[in-house]
Amino acid sequence: MMATRRALAALLLALALAGCGKSGSPPVKGPKAELLPHYAVAKDFSLPDSSVWRRAKNRGHLIVGAKEDQPYLGEKDPATGVYTGFDIEIAKMMSASLGFEPSTIQFKTIASANRETALQNGQIDYYVGTYTINDNRKKLVGFAGPYYMAGQGLLVRTDENGLTTPQDFDGKRVCSAAGSTPYQRMEKDYPKVDMVAYDTYSVCVDNLLTFQVDAVTTDDTILSGYAAKVPDELKVVGKPFSKEPYGIGVPKSDNALRFALDDAIEAHEKNGDWKKAYDATLGLSGRPPAPAPPIDRYPAS
Ligand code: GLU
């Protein structure tokens, strides 16, 4: 009986993620197109020192890596192929600043474990998708930003009580995405937790709703998005136990692009675009607004 209810919840979540309400109506809470800002495209912008920019200029548009199953951050409507969310808005602001009309961006879904390779082999021009800046990754790619600060959290079923810290999950099954910092932290700092990895967090959430795992762990931003979609079934517990500064991933050698994106993030924070975009996307998941962290314009190595 319970299992049937959860299977139904998993289906509901899938429908919510697909952008369908109960009777084909739009989801109750979701990015509202009419509230999203329009970003002014920079006229006569040129960045000849950036090989990524020159390649995009020849092509006529940008190719941006993103997530497609993270509510309020990066979500793809399977019917229309349109991507929405806070990360998608950041990608659009960057496009406008680089002189490309945001509506021409070609988004490509890239899973957490494949981001560095996608940037290294030129599959994408830059990546915006809950991508934590850290020293290990900086050996492989460059990061503009940060443009947002998240923290690792835990998502459980609503009827779960008393499990709120990572230690509470010793001997229990906890799911996260392969190649993610939350997965790596659990393996290193909480070795008694039985970790399960999938390519995406939405598969982890399906496993949680159907009792295959006891929790999902990743950034609180991502988790509160899932909880907001099916609040009767899922809740975020405890306090964030890490700092996850989100950066825009670029090829490591393209410092010109990285610095241009640092400037662009700063400009869109100053002119109010960042706040408007936040309110119309991630803000709808119920997260209290937090100021953007300072840009870390680290020198070229
Ligand atoms: N921010 C974390 C990371 O970059 C988790 C989210 C994700 O996998 O995108 O690994």
Side-chain angles (χ1 to χ4, degrees), residues 4-277:
T4 319
R5 206 168 75 96
R6 297 293 177 185
L8 198 69
L11 184 72
L12 263 178
L13 181 73
L15 285 172
L17 289 174
C20 310
K22 274 186 189 131
S23 53
S25 56
V28 196
K29 288 190 216 159
K32 292 194 176 53
E34 65 276 14
L35 297 178
L36 294 172
H38 286 282
Y39 311 114
V41 179
K43 293 261 174 309
D44 305 321
F45 180 87
S46 174
L47 198 62
D49 289 347
S50 162
S51 58
V52 165
W53 186 87
R54 289 198 311 269
R55 187 181 60 187
K57 192 73 188 164
N58 284 335
R59 192 194 295 129
H61 64 91
L62 287 158
I63 302 177
V64 177
K67 294 287 180 69
E68 67 169 37
D69 63 343
Q70 299 185 171
Y72 308 99
L73 287 156
E75 256 190 302
K76 181 179 171 184
D77 182 330
T80 61
V82 173
Y83 287 72
T84 54
F86 184 59
D87 283 334
I88 302 305
E89 291 306 308
I90 296 288
K92 289 181 176 173
M93 290 174 208
M94 299 303 105
S95 172
S97 293
L98 295 174
F100 298 94
E101 171 53 49
S103 63
T104 64
I105 297 177
Q106 185 192 339
F107 285 102
K108 262 197 185 146
T109 301
I110 309 276
S112 297
N114 303 332
R115 293 181 282 210
E116 291 80 24
T117 327
L119 286 166
Q120 284 169 330
N121 67 19
Q123 249 181 292
I124 52 175
D125 295 328
Y126 56 85
Y127 187 94
V128 195
T130 59
Y131 197 8
T132 295
I133 304 172
N134 66 31
D135 288 342
N136 269 340
R137 289 175 177 167
K138 273 189 190 168
K139 291 178 191 148
L140 305 170
V141 299
F143 285 103
Y147 64 89
Y148 193 78
M149 184 65 82
Q152 184 168 352
L154 290 158
L155 182 76
V156 298
R157 294 176 295 263
T158 38
D159 47 15
E160 196 77 79
N161 288 312
L163 301 175
T164 55
T165 69
Q167 292 88 332
D168 294 339
F169 290 87
D170 282 359
K172 298 195 181 293
R173 282 164 68 84
V174 175
C175 192
S176 195
S180 70
T181 48
Y183 181 86
Q184 289 158 0
R185 184 169 297 105
M186 293 302 289
E187 289 274 277
K188 186 169 158 284
D189 297 347
Y190 307 97
K192 292 193 189 126
V193 177
D194 182 7
M195 288 303 293
V196 178
Y198 287 103
D199 283 349
T200 64
Y201 298 109
S202 52
V203 173
C204 282
V205 172
D206 283 347
N207 275 266
L208 178 61
L209 288 167
T210 53
F211 286 81
Q212 312 299 307
V213 298
D214 302 297
V216 177
T217 187
T218 185
D219 304 342
D220 47 2
T221 42
I222 302 174
L223 299 178
S224 44
Y226 291 121
K229 293 279 178 178
V230 281
D232 293 346
E233 305 295 336
L234 300 173
K235 64 180 178 188
V236 180
V237 289
K239 288 199 187 84
F241 52 98
S242 76
K243 281 204 159 58
E244 308 289 334
Y246 288 170
I248 301 175
V250 298
K252 184 171 157 66
S253 58
D254 205 327
N255 291 298
L257 178 66
R258 175 158 67 85
F259 293 136
L261 293 179
D262 279 339
D263 292 345
I265 296 170
E266 230 155 35
H268 288 279
E269 284 169 4
K270 275 214 183 91
N271 74 6
D273 285 345
W274 186 101
K275 176 76 171 58
K276 273 190 223 153

